[in-house]
Amino acid sequence: MTNAIETRLAELGLALPDSPAPAANYVPFVISGNLVFVSGQVSMDADGLIKGVLGDGMTTEEGAAAAKLCGLSLLAQVKSALGGDLSRLKRVVKLTGFVNSTADFGDQPKVVNGCSDLMVEVLGDAGRHSRSAVSAAALPFGVAVEIEGIFEIDA
């Protein structure tokens, strides 16, 4: 069954990946009331993890592309949480982005925009959200970006 969100993804030439499995002792998402809390999704594509340090060999544009992939993984986790029914997704509430970057790199917001822009492209106004974009001295497995999210759903 295709819904408006999946139709929009297809129009953009995008597909959701399989929901990534947790890499440690946690669950990929928790539903509480009408909110889905999705654990941090690391930058990865079909070839594996996207590693790098922004400000040291990785460009802001490459980081934003990695963040966009985190966004697709977030949506995949929401779809999984909703038993495959993305039509129950009402809005993105908050994203928190962590950027593996040097101490003097200051474009974390531009990197995390890769995910934020995706949410608005796919969901329209329902994709607008509150957000934090912070630097990290290191991220798990050396990935470039990790993003977690809170989503409102029809309960």
Side-chain angles (χ1 to χ4, degrees):
M1 181 169 110
T2 302
N3 65 41
I5 295 170
E6 290 176 295
T7 298
R8 182 65 181 141
L9 284 164
E11 289 170 357
L12 295 169
L14 301 170
L16 296 181
D18 292 334
S19 301
N25 187 17
Y26 63 91
V27 294
F29 56 81
V30 171
I31 298 175
S32 181
N34 66 338
L35 297 176
V36 179
F37 296 79
V38 180
S39 297
Q41 301 297 298
V42 297
S43 52
M44 61 189 302
D45 60 17
D47 295 325
L49 298 173
I50 299 171
K51 300 179 179 185
V53 178
L54 280 291
D56 183 17
M58 187 172 214
T59 68
T60 301
E61 293 76 19
E62 291 169 326
K68 182 175 184 175
L69 293 169
C70 292
L72 289 172
S73 292
L74 286 166
L75 291 173
Q77 291 291 6
V78 171
K79 182 177 179 177
S80 182
L82 298 177
D85 184 9
L86 270 177
S87 68
R88 291 181 51 208
L89 175 57
K90 288 179 71 173
R91 74 167 297 116
V92 182
V93 176
K94 178 154 188 335
L95 298 177
T96 303
F98 304 92
V99 180
N100 189 354
S101 55
T102 61
D104 61 345
F105 182 81
D107 283 336
Q108 291 82 4
K110 289 181 182 177
V111 170
V112 179
N113 275 349
C115 183
S116 293
D117 293 346
L118 171 74
M119 296 301 170
V120 174
E121 279 184 289
V122 172
L123 302 169
D125 282 341
R128 298 193 184 285
H129 52 272
S130 63
R131 187 182 87 175
S132 300
V134 298
S135 178
L139 288 174
F141 313 112
V143 297
V145 183
E146 180 175 353
I147 302 177
E148 64 182 27
I150 303 170
F151 300 82
E152 182 182 1
I153 59 171
D154 284 328

